[in-house]
């Protein structure tokens, strides 16, 4: 679910947008969690109680409201004491709160406007906690800033309605104006700090790309060279070890590339480039690429695509990557049976289905399968290799193409993944 929309009047749209961004940013910081913002806005009146204004990380509005009710006591304590409240894992909120919930007051200069509750699947690091606190402080400052602006406007109106000048009110306006000026400076500093954090992350990602990919590529190339050469001195056991190292290196390379691609998408650095493509060739390439994932399992890949297939334009690299990610995911979780690929182009939309006879997904987990680093259970990472990034990356790539992906599944009954991508039919 996207951030929960606020019901505040139109003149509070800027604050509402700010809180939606804050909720989304908080979820992004913890990786895969939930965030709820409870706030009292200037137009609510001094005596109004903070209420749920925005939420992110939920599958529906009803889920967000249910979570808000379950966190009422922790939120109330946070606001009353103007201090951080931490809870242990809240099992009723699912895996996204398995690492606990941290409730941070939205307070500045002794004035508290509410709280932000952040649940995470794992205990957040000290660095993440510091960023969350900075985010809460910046949010409180923006609400307080709007509150003071409204006070100044009210006093100015009262002065203009009076026949004589009120010195006391004039002095109060001056003091409030000075406070607003100081807050303007503080807001700039907060935004600068948040910008510096983003730059540090960006620099880290770029350095990771350079420092890890270059030697990893060299290792993989050297291993392939040794295995492909006719070296009689290598025993069969040594060759087997090298093949295993090559498989692990290739898996790591793919995970690293997925992380980098996700980062580029978030930074808006992955443009869409339409070109003529042959969809049947893309499918064949994807099938060939997942053979290592199948690793000799009794699984048949069935391609049910009419030929000649409709010609169209789209982004070749992205369509290729989406199809591989979904097919690789099906191959990973299918131990026997079949994986069937069907496709058609109708009304300018490519519709492709991947149907497998794998382990399936229980209903409770289906809300989270597109989350970054999400895996169905704690043992999944041991039994099935991967970092839980494939479906998340596929979703983001499809969004770039203005497409979508839906998943229908039952535990033990297999999974049906359906993608739809608008294309330019030629």
């Amino acid at each position: 679910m996207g951030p929960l929309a606020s019901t505040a009047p139109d003149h509070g749209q800027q604050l509402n947008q700010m809180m939606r961004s804050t909720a989304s940013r908080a979820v992004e910081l913890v990786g895969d969690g939930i965030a709820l913002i409870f706030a009292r806005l200037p137009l609510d009146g001094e005596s109004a109680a903070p209420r749920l204004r925005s939420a992110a990380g939920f599958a529906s509005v009803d889920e967000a409201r249910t979570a808000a009710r379950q966190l009422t006591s922790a939120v109330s304590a946070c606001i009353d004491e103007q201090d951080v409240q931490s809870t242990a894992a809240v099992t009723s909120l699912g895996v996204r709160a398995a690492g606990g919930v941290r409730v941070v007051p939205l307070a500045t200069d002794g004035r508290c406007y509410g709280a932000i509750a952040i649940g995470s699947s794992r205990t957040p690091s000290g660095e993440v906690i510091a960023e969350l606190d900075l985010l809460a402080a910046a949010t409180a400052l923006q609400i307080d800033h709007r509150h003071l602006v409204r006070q100044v406007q009210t006093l100015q109106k009262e002065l203009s309605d009076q026949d004589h000048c009120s010195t006391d009110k004039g002095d109060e306006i001056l003091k409030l104006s000075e406070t607003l000026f100081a807050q303007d400076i503080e807001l700039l500093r907060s935004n600068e700090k948040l910008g510096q954090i983003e730059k540090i992350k960006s620099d880290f990602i770029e350095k990771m790309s350079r420092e890890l990919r270059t030697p990893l590529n060299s290792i993989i190339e050297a291993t392939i060279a040794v295995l492909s050469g006719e070296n009689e001195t290598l025993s069969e056991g040594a060759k087997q070890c090298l093949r295993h190292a090559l498989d692990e290196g290739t898996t790591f390379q793919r995970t690293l590339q997925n992380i980098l691609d996700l980062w580029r998408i978030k930074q808006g650095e992955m443009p869409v480039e339409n070109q003529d493509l042959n969809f049947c060739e893309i499918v064949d390439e994807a099938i060939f690429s997942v053979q290592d994932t199948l690793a000799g399992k009794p699984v048949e890949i069935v391609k049910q695509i009419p030929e000649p297939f409709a010609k169209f334009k789209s982004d070749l690299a992205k369509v290729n990557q989406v199809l591989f990610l979904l097919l690789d995911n099906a191959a990973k979780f299918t131990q026997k049976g079949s994986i069937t690929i069907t496709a058609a182009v109708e009304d300018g939309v490519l519709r492709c289905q991947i149907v497998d006879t794998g382990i399936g997904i229980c209903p409770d987990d289906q809300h989270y399968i597109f989350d970054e680093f999400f895996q169905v259970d704690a043992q999944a990472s041991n039994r099935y290799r991967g970092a839980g990034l494939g479906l998340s990356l596929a979703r983001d790539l499809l969004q770039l193409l203005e497409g979508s992906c839906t998943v229908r599944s039952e535990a033990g009954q297999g999974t049906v993944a359906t993608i739809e991508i608008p294309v330019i039919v030629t």
Side-chain angles (χ1 to χ4, degrees):
M1 186 191 84
L4 186 67
S6 173
T7 57
D10 290 343
H11 43 258
Q13 284 183 355
Q14 287 184 340
L15 280 179
N16 295 329
Q17 180 60 43
M18 177 272 296
M19 286 187 289
R20 287 194 289 268
S21 297
T22 297
S24 296
R25 177 66 179 142
V27 169
E28 184 181 322
L29 283 172
V30 297
D32 52 347
I34 56 174
L36 304 101
I37 297 180
F38 304 80
R40 168 177 57 81
L41 300 185
L43 292 171
D44 294 339
E46 296 290 339
S47 60
R51 60 186 179 87
L52 181 62
R53 297 285 181 175
S54 184
F58 295 92
S60 68
V61 173
D62 288 338
E63 278 192 13
R65 289 173 177 158
T66 299
R69 288 192 293 269
Q70 293 171 332
L71 295 171
T72 297
S73 59
V75 170
S76 297
C78 175
I79 294 171
D80 292 342
E81 300 172 18
Q82 292 192 30
D83 196 13
V84 175
Q85 303 290 316
S86 296
T87 71
V90 183
T91 55
S92 57
L93 297 182
V95 295
R96 290 191 162 194
V101 177
R102 194 166 186 269
V103 188
V104 184
L106 301 176
T108 180
D109 199 22
R111 295 181 290 274
C112 186
Y113 294 96
I116 176 170
I118 307 107
S120 54
S121 62
R122 59 187 70 83
T123 304
S125 66
E127 180 185 355
V128 170
I129 288 174
E131 291 185 51
L132 291 172
D133 289 347
L134 179 59
L135 191 63
T139 303
L141 193 59
Q142 292 189 62
I143 297 174
D144 190 52
H145 190 77
R146 186 57 61 89
H147 176 74
L148 293 179
V149 167
R150 184 164 178 77
Q151 279 188 300
V152 170
Q153 291 172 342
T154 301
L155 288 170
Q156 287 175 334
K157 185 176 185 306
E158 290 176 358
L159 277 175
S160 65
D161 291 341
Q162 292 177 351
D163 295 331
H164 61 282
C165 181
S166 170
T167 304
D168 290 342
K169 288 185 178 178
D171 290 342
E172 189 173 353
I173 290 175
L174 180 60
K175 289 179 181 178
L176 287 173
S177 297
E178 291 174 350
T179 302
L180 285 171
F181 179 70
Q183 285 191 348
D184 282 333
I185 296 174
E186 187 60 31
L187 281 169
L188 287 172
R189 288 174 177 169
S190 296
N191 290 333
E192 184 180 1
K193 287 178 184 176
L194 290 170
Q196 287 174 345
I197 290 171
E198 287 301 313
K199 187 177 185 307
I200 289 171
K201 288 182 176 179
S202 180
D203 290 344
F204 171 74
I205 294 293
E206 290 180 7
K207 185 174 182 180
M208 182 178 72
S209 172
R210 183 173 58 255
E211 299 296 328
L212 292 182
R213 283 200 301 176
T214 301
L216 179 61
N217 289 341
S218 297
I219 292 170
I220 290 173
E221 289 171 5
T223 305
I224 292 174
V226 173
L227 284 171
S228 60
E230 301 200 5
N231 195 330
E232 299 296 335
T233 61
L234 284 177
S235 66
E236 190 56 39
K239 290 179 181 179
Q240 187 62 34
C241 287
L242 284 173
R243 293 189 190 101
H244 179 71
L246 181 60
D247 289 343
E248 294 295 326
T250 303
T251 300
F252 178 46
Q253 184 186 48
R254 188 176 297 138
T255 299
L256 178 59
Q257 188 61 52
N258 287 347
I259 293 172
L260 295 171
D261 287 344
L262 279 168
W263 179 258
R264 291 191 183 104
I265 291 172
K266 291 182 185 298
Q267 299 303 305
E269 297 176 356
M270 190 174 281
V272 174
E273 299 177 356
N274 289 325
Q275 56 193 293
D276 292 319
L277 54 82
N278 186 320
F279 187 70
C280 291
E281 288 183 359
I282 293 175
V283 173
D284 290 339
E285 184 178 338
I287 292 173
F288 177 79
S289 298
V290 300
Q291 294 305 311
D292 287 341
T293 305
L294 288 173
K297 292 187 292 186
V299 177
E300 179 187 11
I301 296 183
V302 180
K303 186 175 70 169
Q304 296 180 347
I305 300 176
E307 292 192 27
F309 197 74
K311 296 183 180 299
F312 60 87
K313 289 185 177 182
S314 188
D315 190 305
L316 173 61
K318 293 177 180 59
V319 172
N320 193 327
Q321 194 168 5
V322 166
L323 192 61
F324 166 74
L325 290 168
L326 294 176
L327 191 57
D328 187 62
N329 197 69
K332 188 185 303 180
F333 295 103
T334 302
Q335 301 306 309
K336 61 181 181 179
S338 64
I339 300 171
T340 303
I341 307 168
T342 63
V345 175
E346 296 179 359
D347 299 324
V349 176
L350 169 66
R351 189 172 188 270
C352 178
Q353 277 194 336
I354 297 176
V355 183
D356 68 59
T357 58
I359 62 174
I361 309 165
C362 70
D364 290 343
D365 289 328
Q366 290 182 32
H367 294 305
Y368 311 111
I369 57 173
F370 290 103
D371 293 351
E372 295 171 17
F373 300 105
F374 175 77
Q375 291 178 318
V376 171
D377 56 56
Q379 289 76 39
S381 59
N382 294 326
R383 287 183 293 170
Y384 309 103
R385 291 191 303 177
L389 290 173
L391 290 180
S392 178
L393 178 56
R395 175 205 59 193
D396 287 357
L397 289 168
L398 284 167
Q399 287 177 350
L400 284 178
L401 298 173
E402 299 182 357
S404 63
C405 180
T406 57
V407 173
R408 188 174 74 253
S409 181
E410 291 183 27
Q413 300 298 316
T415 300
V416 179
T418 303
I419 61 172
E420 293 187 348
I421 304 173
V423 296
I424 303 169
V425 180
T426 58

